[in-house]
Every structure is written in structure tokens, then in C-alpha cells.
Amino acid sequence: MREIVRAAIAEDAPLLVEGTGSKRGLGKPETGLANARRLSLAECRGVTLYEPEELVLSARAGTPIAEIEALLAAHRQRLEFEPMDLGPLHGLASGLGTIGGVLACNLAGPRRIARGSARDHVLGLTAVSGRGEVFRAGGRVVKNVTGYDLSKGLAGSFGTLAVMTSVTMKVMPDVETEATLVLRGLADDAAAGAMAAAMGSSAEVSGAAHLPYAVAGRVAEGALGREAATLIRIEGVEPSVEARAAHLSAGLSRVGRLERLEGEASRALWRDVRDVRPFADGTDKPVWRISVAPTRGHELVMSLRMAAAIDAFYDWQGGLVWLRMEAGEPEADLVRQAVRRHGGGHATLMRASEAARTSAPVFEPQPDALARLSKRLKDQFDPAGILNPGRMG
Amino acid sequence: MSVRMPAPNGTILARRREIVEALRRIVPGEGVVAEATELKPFETDGLTAYRQVPLAAVLPETTAEVAAILSYCHANEIPVVPRGSGTSLSGGALPLADGVLLVLSRFNRILEIDFDNRCAVVQPGVTNLGITKAVEHRGFYYAPDPSSQIACSIGGNVAENSGGVHCLKYGLTANNVLGIEFVTIEGEVIRLGGKHLDAEGYDLLGLMTGSEGLLGVVTEVTVRILQKPETARALLLGFPTSEQAGACVAAIIGQGIIPGGMEMMDRPAIHAAEAFVHAGYPLDVEALLIVELDGPQAEVDHLLAVVEGIATAEGAVTAKVSQSEDERARFWAGRKAAFPAVGRISPDYLCMDGTIPRKELPRVLAGMRALSEKHGLAVANVFHAGDGNLHPLILYDASRDDELSRAEAFGNDILRLCVEVGGVLTGEHGVGVEKRDLMPEMFSEDDLRHQQRVKCAFDDKHLLNPGKMFPVLHRCAELGRMHVHRGQVPFPDLPRF
């Protein structure tokens, strides 16, 4: 890998770094790069260390997430951050993503609100920087403050600082059982209140999502019907799940009608929320992923509904808004102004046509001082600008 | 005191009066400390073997003042050492003779508590425990709990990525901070994250957390607050050997149980603690485990039985379950008093802080016994068994001529052993001055260069907290060269101190 990067530097040939290419539709399109070559890590795969009792797993960067999750499941463990699968949203098959890709995009799922994102679970990694030098960061233990946390520094860097070749992750025990309480028929603002109350209770809720009536029918093969559904997930050992479900139900049943899903029905629901199934429609209508303070999500959506034709649902207690632009235009300025008006956060164009991603900034534009600092970091790690140039634009 | 700090810059020392006056123009009144007697309290932090009176100390109250101070120091190339409460155990806030000590203790206000979004926005000088105090009337708390939590500041926690006894379940500071405002050495104010999750762009929040004051000065912190677990109960487990205690820890985790806390003590630590606080610890065991289960009552009751079963199967000779809050507190009292307890039986002690893969504990303890004989000094061990974080306490007497240097050599050997078995130099205390020169034991030259490139992006003149974390200060221009030829001599003229 080091020799490939060095050759690219010598020949001034940008590298388009990817795993299996399943996330090519995310980020600035790579068109118009003279001399560019693709650097796939798909063959750089395999779990190199897995010690269940130590809660640690190391794998080469191109190892499919599906392979890792299957291995963990066999030992009743899991990746706690519940990595989402972008494939369905981009019209691709499920299960193509790699561990390196998940970390490079810092992807997580519904459990992020309670347990953190990919960056919270990476313990260490090996990478080749844009200087053609191999370096190691972090280690294999949970508690480690030796030097800067470069592993976090590379999380979410979209392969623009270094090519990760292997990563070490913290893994956690899988749960014995799970249940989802479903509140029916709530308006978005009432749902936000219910989710805040659930998350703020001692019931250790591990997922809080709200599907407005127009969206509810598009998960779990229509199991929820066309009625707004507010989902509260509880996981753990059986007696604990029972006790917490009872405790939560007592409060939530005062807010609306309550249903309950168990086991696979619950899991299927959260998989679809995680993978944005309601918008996995085979089109390239723009889809935004917006992160704001949880209590502000529904206000933001309300204001956008007045200005554009949108379809939306919520995860992360309402703080993660998935937004589909029905007219086909991303309306980046409109969306980002609304984010700023509602307490700030960021909006990422997770899906759009190449043309739309070329004309609109895919990632939230940064204030000047922050942009300059980020640029200096990029220059330190990839001074020749050969790793995924422009991808994070 | 074997670690050398960079030689003070004579030009800066000569300009002291002028620098103090410039600082007074930025922070009026008593916010600038320049008298030798008044500077004395700032000469050290929690690593008291190292002392240095700073050039001057400045105690700003606003972000604008911090920005003006840093901007001035940057323009005049004056080193700056940030300091919170000064509880660092690795010398992170050790002043420099030619450096301004930037003290954040006046940033002590809680700015906002937002229960619905489960976060609090606070100034960096607020203490760790102060956050919990401010939110506990609604049943909330701030999870990371370093042992200095009464005194240590949240800004210092961010700088050190502080831990505590609950890290396996609740994470370190990095996992509990949602956003910060910080000031760069150039005086620019930057905000990262906030009440929303996962700010995009490079994870500068992840880099800032644990950067030991070398990258920027934090002026505001947004932290996650959590609802307190419904209940917590502790088990006190005694084992005839540390191997059995280690096997019990592995079996608990292997069963899919993540306790809120899991602490181990070895025989010397047990005896010292018991003699000090009379916690009721068994004295005829080689290893003591405290396993705390927290969460809903139903869960805790269920898991207590499971853990007790595991412990018995692994050969526990003592197994007591706390029957009341008082009893739980008593189980913990000995562990929490372990450091002062050791302080009672030895004039001085050195607290080390390596992390190891849990399964290596027996090997590391055996190695430590051998090292103890080699260096002729006793050692007591307390161990965050859940996350593998080991705190050997090396007993010595500073009044005997070579004992401090022997203790330091012993400590360094222990940390080398931690790295050798796949662990790391520091789990929660930071590198600072103390472990700076050991960094090459864990990292290659290229690993360290890439860390220093982060430094160069933030502070290319090396003005923020120089002399900490890195054994060799590479000039950023030198690091900037492309490293193409193997075997190149790595800059023999660089300052090594």
C-alpha cells in the first residue's frame, strides 16, 4: 500500500480510495480529476484478531461489515454503534460496506444516541498517510490516552488524510432480548416530547425514532400501516427489559395508544430505520441527513414543510432528520439556513445525482477559521493532495 | 526528576516586565500574577516531584481575553501552559520558566442545563463533580468520574481525556463530550459540535480531547448528562490467586455482562486499605474484586446472582453482596482510599498508569514482582479490571538519596512491560512530562511524526505546552519534507531534552 501511495505521489496521480465502492454516491463526485486511479481495499480483507473476552477485534480495512457482524454474532457480540448500510439508499445491494468504509464515513445507526458512533468504538488503526508513510495510532485496549487520538482523527475523514489498512474496534456483548414500544398517531412535536421523556428516564432506552404517518408504512414491509409511529427501543436481559418496558409504558400510555414489538419484528423495524428504507426508492431524489439538537428536529421540519415539498422522519430522539426533497432539487441553501435558524448543526447530502452533488456543497460549509484549520491538517497528512481530492467538498 | 524540560529562552526571561505589562492591559486587576511569592502555588500540579515557577500567571475571565492573550503570545513567540485545577498526575500543567501560565479557574460558570437534550453547557473551570451537583436534583449526573473529581476541572478532563472507574460501560471523557469552544494559539475562536451529534469534517473534537493542552485552549464544553441508574449494588469477591480473580473478570465479560465498575486490588493494597478505613476486606486473599452492577432493579438483582455464580465457579473464597447503600459505600471506601492508605505505610509513592489486555494480568503481576526485587522497592496494585487500566503504586522514601530515581526506573520498567504485552503507557493520567521520554517504547518514529503533524496543523511554532508529550520537538518545516528514502538520518540537530 505504501508503494502505491508513493508511486501516486511521484506521478502526481490522485488516488480514489475506497473499499468496495459502495459509498461512491456519497461525497463530491470524482469527475474531472486528470490522471486519477482507483485504489480499492476490497482485497485487503480478513479479521486478524478477535478475542471475545477482551472485547476487541482487529480487521483489515476492506473486511466486509457483514463478515465481521456474522463472526461477532456467533460469539453473541456486536458492534455497539449499529453501523448503517448505505447500499439500499443508493440503489445497491445490502451488505457491501467494509469496516474501513464505515469508519472513514463515521457511520452509525439508531443506537448512536445512547452508545456513540464508529469514532467512539475505534481503538486503533494502521494507515498510510498521503506522504507515503505507514503509521500506527492508538492500541487494542479501551482505556488509552497515550498521545493524540489519531484513530478518531481519521474517523469521518473520507480517506482524505490517509489510507487505513487495518482497524481495531471495541466490541460489546449482544443483548439477550429487545422490545420496541410503539406510540401511535402522534404529531411530530408530541413525539419529540415523548422521546425526550423516554431518553431522560432511567429506562436506558437504546433507540428513539419517529415515523410520521406518510413514512410509517414504508418500514418492515408495511407492518406498521399508515399511522404515525414513535419507536422506543429497550434492550438487555429479559427481566430488565420487562421491568423497563412496564415502567415506560405506564408513562407513555398517557401520551397515546401503545403497541409493543418483540424479537425479530423489533429488529426488522430498527434495521429499516437504520438503513433509511423509507427513502430507498430506487430514485436519486436528494436525501439529506441533518443533525440538530434533538428537541429542534421537528421545528426544523415544520419550517421546511412550509417552504418545499419534503418527506421526513426522525431518529436519535428527533435530532437526526432524514429528509427527501420531493421536487428533485437539493435546495441546499434553504435546508442549511433552516438548520442555522434552529440552533445549528449540520446537513449532509447523503444521496443526489452527480449534477446535484457537483453544484451543491455535499457537506456543511465550515466557518473560515475552522476551514483553515482543517485545510492545514489535510496539508500535513497529504501535502500533495493525492488522497480523494475534493471528496469532502 | 529525570525528565528534562526545554532550556528557557533568555530573551523572553529578559522581557518579563514588558510581558507582564502587556498581559495586564488584557486582563486588568488581579488577573495577572507576577510576584514570586504569589506564583509559588502554581509551581506544580499533581505530579509534585516536578516544580517550576512560571514567568507569570494570567487568569482571564472571558473567551475574548483568552484570545487576546494567545494572540499576544503567538505574535511574541512566548510559550503558554494552560492549567485548569492543576490536578494532572503526569505534569500536564507543569509551568515553564519562560512561559505564561494560562489559568482557567475563573471560567467557573454553568451556562446552560438542557434536560430535554440531556446536555449541559459549562465553562472549563467548572469541576467534574460540579456538573453532577448542578443536575442531580432531576436525577441526572455526568458519567466520567476521575478520582480527583471534587477538584479537577472539566476543561482539564477534556485536555486529558479523563477516565474513572466506569469507563468500560460509560466511556471516557471523549465519549461524553458533545462539543467545545476553543481558542487557537493564533487567537482564533473555533466551535466544534454542540447539542447535535457527530459534527462533520475532520473529527477535531476527537483530536482536541486528550491533547494535553498542546493544541488549543478550551473555553466552553457541552457534555452529555445521563439519568442516574435506578440502583447500584456491589459484590466483594476474594480470591486465593490473582489468576483466579483475572479468570473471574474474563468470565463475567464472556457471559455478556458489562458491570458499571470492576476493580481489583492485590494483597499489599488490600492490607493498606483495610488498615486505613476498616472496610471489612478479607485479609487472607491474594486478590480482591469489587464488581458493581448498576441499572434497573430487576436487572441488577438478576445479574448479581449470575455474577455470584461465576465467582464461586472461579474459586472465590469470599463473596459478599451489598445489602444497603451504606454497605456498598463501605465496599468502595477501601478502594477509593487506596492511594492515601498506601501513603500511610510509605513516606512517598509513585502512581503509575498503564493499560494492558486483561488476560495479561497474571503475567504482568508476576513481572512486577520480579521488578520489585530488582529495584528493591515494594509495589501495591489497584486495577480497573474492567478496562485493563493498572495503577501500580511504587513505595519509596524521597529522603533516601537514590530512591526516587530507583522508583522512576521501576515505573518505567513497568510501563515497558505493559507495552510489551500489547498495552499502552497511559490509560487515563496522560503522557505529560512523566511519560514523555517513554513514547518511543510504544510508537515508531513515523507514528510520532504523524502525531506531531497534528501539532503542526494547530501550533506550528510549538508555543502551546512545549516539552510535554513528545520526547523530540521536530520543527514543523523539517516534518514537512517528504520522507522518501529509507534509512535517512532523522535530523541529528533537533533539540532533545
Side-chain angles (χ1 to χ4, degrees):
Chain A
M1 202 60 66
R2 188 185 61 191
E3 298 313 315
I4 293 172
V5 175
R6 288 188 180 182
I9 298 167
E11 292 158 33
D12 195 18
L15 293 171
L16 309 175
V17 188
E18 62 181 34
T20 58
S22 66
K23 298 174 188 67
R24 247 176 241 173
L26 174 57
K28 272 286 180 214
E30 55 216 15
T31 47
L33 283 177
N35 214 10
R37 20 179 124 145
R38 215 167 272 293
L39 173 55
S40 165
L41 281 100
E43 299 303 317
C44 175
R45 60 186 283 180
V47 172
T48 53
L49 175 145
Y50 175 37
E51 295 178 5
E53 285 172 357
E54 298 281 324
L55 302 176
V56 62
L57 178 143
S58 302
R60 294 194 184 91
T63 311
I65 280 284
E67 182 181 323
I68 290 171
E69 290 190 323
L71 175 65
L72 291 173
H75 291 82
R76 294 189 296 128
Q77 294 191 332
R78 65 183 184 186
L79 293 170
E80 191 77 349
F81 58 98
E82 206 175 3
M84 71 173 299
D85 187 343
L86 267 178
L89 188 64
H90 287 156
L92 303 169
S94 297
L96 295 174
T98 62
I99 186 71
V102 161
L103 189 58
C105 304
N106 192 29
L107 294 180
R111 207 178 291 111
R112 197 274 167 256
I113 183 78
R115 299 281 189 271
S117 188
R119 54 91 81 175
D120 293 290
H121 295 264
V122 62
L123 299 177
L125 50 80
T126 307
V128 183
S129 72
R131 296 172 173 273
E133 294 167 355
V134 178
F135 67 96
R136 208 168 49 87
R140 51 160 292 182
V141 292
V142 179
K143 221 164 159 186
N144 176 11
V145 295
T146 321
Y148 301 132
D149 198 345
L150 275 180
S151 312
K152 281 196 181 64
L154 291 193
S157 68
F158 283 79
T160 61
L161 297 178
V163 183
M164 283 183 246
T165 52
S166 84
V167 302
T168 298
M169 307 295 295
K170 173 187 178 186
V171 302
M172 289 296 261
D174 200 353
V175 294
E176 196 176 298
T177 184
E178 73 171 75
T180 298
L181 300 176
V182 188
L183 267 169
R184 304 312 306 259
L186 296 190
D188 292 6
D189 55 346
M195 289 190 288
M199 289 300 305
S201 78
S202 59
E204 294 179 11
V205 170
S206 74
H210 174 67
L211 313 175
Y213 74 96
V215 176
R218 284 181 265 151
V219 293
E221 297 176 343
L224 290 177
R226 274 179 69 91
E227 186 184 9
T230 310
L231 317 175
I232 308 289
R233 180 172 61 186
I234 319 157
E235 302 175 288
V237 292
E238 179 132 18
S240 171
V241 169
E242 280 315 311
R244 286 182 285 154
H247 171 74
L248 275 175
S249 299
L252 292 176
S253 58
R254 286 198 291 272
V255 183
R257 186 162 54 81
L258 205 55
E259 296 167 3
R260 178 172 164 165
L261 297 172
E262 314 273 345
E264 181 50 33
S266 169
R267 279 192 288 276
L269 197 55
W270 287 101
R271 251 194 322 270
D272 285 1
V273 169
R274 181 192 76 184
D275 296 344
V276 207
R277 277 285 168 185
F279 300 155
D281 49 13
T283 75
D284 61 3
K285 276 188 198 169
V287 171
W288 289 96
R289 175 185 182 271
I290 300 172
S291 181
V292 291
T295 53
R296 307 302 295 274
H298 69 97
E299 296 171 12
L300 168 92
V301 168
M302 174 75 86
S303 83
L304 283 171
R305 281 195 203 283
M306 315 249 213
I310 59 166
D311 202 3
F313 71 95
Y314 311 82
D315 195 355
W316 300 356
Q317 193 196 321
L320 172 63
V321 178
W322 288 102
L323 194 71
R324 184 174 65 184
M325 310 305 288
E326 301 299 274
E329 289 299 320
E331 305 273 16
D333 291 342
L334 176 80
V335 169
R336 291 193 165 120
Q337 277 163 19
V339 170
R340 280 194 289 278
R341 276 202 317 276
H342 291 90
H346 55 90
T348 314
L349 193 50
M350 293 298 278
R351 180 184 76 184
S353 67
E354 249 187 57
R357 283 183 290 131
T358 305
S359 59
V362 170
F363 298 93
E364 187 73 36
Q366 298 183 325
D368 286 347
L370 177 55
R372 282 196 300 276
L373 182 54
S374 299
K375 171 78 167 51
R376 290 204 296 270
L377 189 63
K378 166 76 173 170
D379 290 345
Q380 286 291 332
F381 277 73
D382 178 23
I386 53 141
L387 298 180
N388 283 349
R391 179 89 188 253
M392 289 184 84
Chain B
M1 288 209 284
S2 53
V3 178
R4 282 198 294 143
M5 295 304 284
N9 179 334
T11 319
I12 295 175
L13 295 178
R15 290 174 56 203
R16 184 166 178 277
R17 182 188 299 268
E18 167 206 334
I19 292 167
V20 168
E21 276 166 17
L23 293 174
R24 288 211 159 110
R25 280 193 294 276
I26 299 168
V27 182
E30 295 179 348
V32 176
V33 179
E35 293 298 321
T37 49
E38 291 172 22
L39 281 173
K40 188 85 176 150
F42 295 110
E43 70 176 357
T44 188
D45 57 12
L47 185 70
T48 50
Y50 291 81
R51 287 169 197 274
Q52 173 61 58
V53 173
L55 186 74
V58 57
L59 291 77
E61 271 182 272
T62 66
T63 300
E65 287 174 354
V66 173
I69 294 163
L70 291 175
S71 172
Y72 168 78
C73 290
H74 183 251
N76 290 276
E77 306 208 359
I78 303 161
V80 178
V81 176
R83 174 182 167 114
S85 302
T87 55
S88 168
L89 292 171
S90 55
L94 177 70
L96 295 168
D98 61 349
V100 169
L101 190 69
L102 180 53
V103 184
L104 278 300
S105 55
R106 288 182 169 185
F107 276 77
N108 57 3
R109 283 183 303 131
I110 289 174
L111 302 174
E112 187 192 351
I113 298 168
D114 182 344
F115 289 108
D116 279 346
N117 288 309
R118 295 178 303 126
C119 61
V121 184
V122 303
Q123 291 191 321
V126 171
T127 62
N128 173 293
L129 196 61
I131 299 176
T132 292
K133 292 278 178 220
V135 299
E136 66 186 359
H137 62 286
R138 292 265 305 262
F140 283 82
Y141 77 117
Y142 174 64
D145 60 344
S147 57
S148 55
Q149 69 178 149
I150 299 171
C152 65
S153 69
I154 187 67
N157 287 183
V158 171
E160 301 290 331
N161 193 11
S162 306
V165 298
H166 298 108
C167 292
L168 184 62
K169 188 166 177 184
Y170 297 102
L172 285 81
T173 301
N175 312 108
N176 289 278
V177 167
L178 300 176
I180 57 171
E181 175 191 82
F182 75 99
V183 186
T184 67
I185 185 64
E186 285 150 322
E188 289 194 302
V189 180
I190 292 181
R191 298 189 72 89
L192 302 172
K195 292 182 181 181
H196 58 283
L197 295 172
D198 295 339
E200 345 171 285
Y202 297 136
D203 190 352
L204 303 182
L205 182 56
L207 288 174
M208 281 293 296
T209 310
S211 62
E212 303 195 10
L214 272 76
L215 300 183
V217 176
V218 173
T219 48
E220 187 189 296
V221 187
T222 302
V223 297
R224 168 68 77 215
I225 52 173
L226 299 175
Q227 183 67 213
K228 279 189 178 164
E230 194 180 300
T231 189
R233 288 174 77 187
L235 283 115
L236 196 64
L237 306 168
F239 292 89
T241 67
S242 56
E243 282 80 359
Q244 283 165 298
C248 182
V249 169
I252 290 170
I253 290 169
Q255 282 273 314
I257 299 168
I258 303 293
M262 189 146 53
E263 294 291 308
M264 194 189 292
M265 297 164 75
D266 69 358
R267 178 183 276 268
I270 298 166
H271 283 251
E274 183 59 23
F276 187 32
V277 298
H278 312 293
Y281 290 169
L283 295 174
D284 55 348
V285 297
E286 284 300 316
L288 189 69
L289 264 187
I290 304 172
V291 181
E292 179 160 290
L293 297 159
D294 62 2
Q297 183 83 49
E299 176 172 323
V300 171
D301 290 348
H302 173 81
L303 294 181
L304 273 175
V306 179
V307 171
E308 213 175 344
I310 293 170
T312 309
E314 298 294 342
V317 290
T318 320
K320 272 197 266 184
V321 179
S322 68
Q323 301 300 331
S324 64
E325 266 303 286
D326 273 357
E327 190 169 18
R328 184 178 74 92
R330 207 158 50 244
F331 287 179
W332 277 107
R335 166 60 186 89
K336 289 191 172 168
F339 290 14
V342 167
R344 266 175 88 243
I345 59 168
S346 171
D348 300 281
Y349 68 88
L350 204 57
C351 172
M352 307 309 293
D353 169 48
T355 304
I356 55 171
R358 281 179 292 267
K359 63 172 181 183
E360 301 289 355
L361 182 68
R363 181 174 156 199
V364 171
L365 288 179
M368 239 185 273
R369 281 192 288 273
L371 288 171
S372 172
E373 275 182 31
K374 176 184 153 194
H375 293 278
L377 293 171
V379 62
N381 271 290
V382 295
F383 182 51
H384 300 307
D387 48 44
N389 188 196
L390 195 61
H391 291 311
L393 305 171
I394 299 170
L395 282 48
Y396 72 99
D397 182 349
S399 66
R400 295 193 194 163
D401 39 317
D402 67 334
E403 282 210 3
L404 171 59
S405 59
R406 259 160 58 206
E408 285 189 326
F410 185 3
N412 290 350
D413 280 349
I414 292 174
L415 294 182
R416 284 189 191 99
L417 178 61
C418 291
V419 172
E420 192 186 308
V421 302
V424 301
L425 294 173
T426 170
E428 56 184 354
H429 295 174
V431 176
V433 174
E434 189 198 27
K435 279 151 290 206
R436 186 192 75 194
D437 292 348
L438 289 172
M439 287 289 269
E441 299 283 337
M442 181 168 154
F443 293 113
S444 74
E445 183 77 10
D446 274 348
D447 298 342
L448 286 173
R449 282 163 179 273
H450 280 86
Q451 294 201 23
Q452 294 198 40
R453 285 185 176 118
V454 174
K455 171 72 169 173
C456 292
F458 280 77
D459 171 24
D460 65 352
K461 291 184 184 173
H462 289 307
L463 293 173
L464 273 170
N465 222 0
K468 317 288 171 71
M469 197 185 285
F470 298 112
V472 179
L473 273 189
H474 289 286
R475 286 189 295 273
C476 289
E478 302 284 0
L479 280 168
R481 284 183 198 158
M482 281 288 189
H483 169 79
V484 182
H485 305 293
R486 265 197 251 183
Q488 204 175 14
V489 179
F491 314 112
D493 60 326
L494 285 171
R496 290 164 196 266
F497 29 73

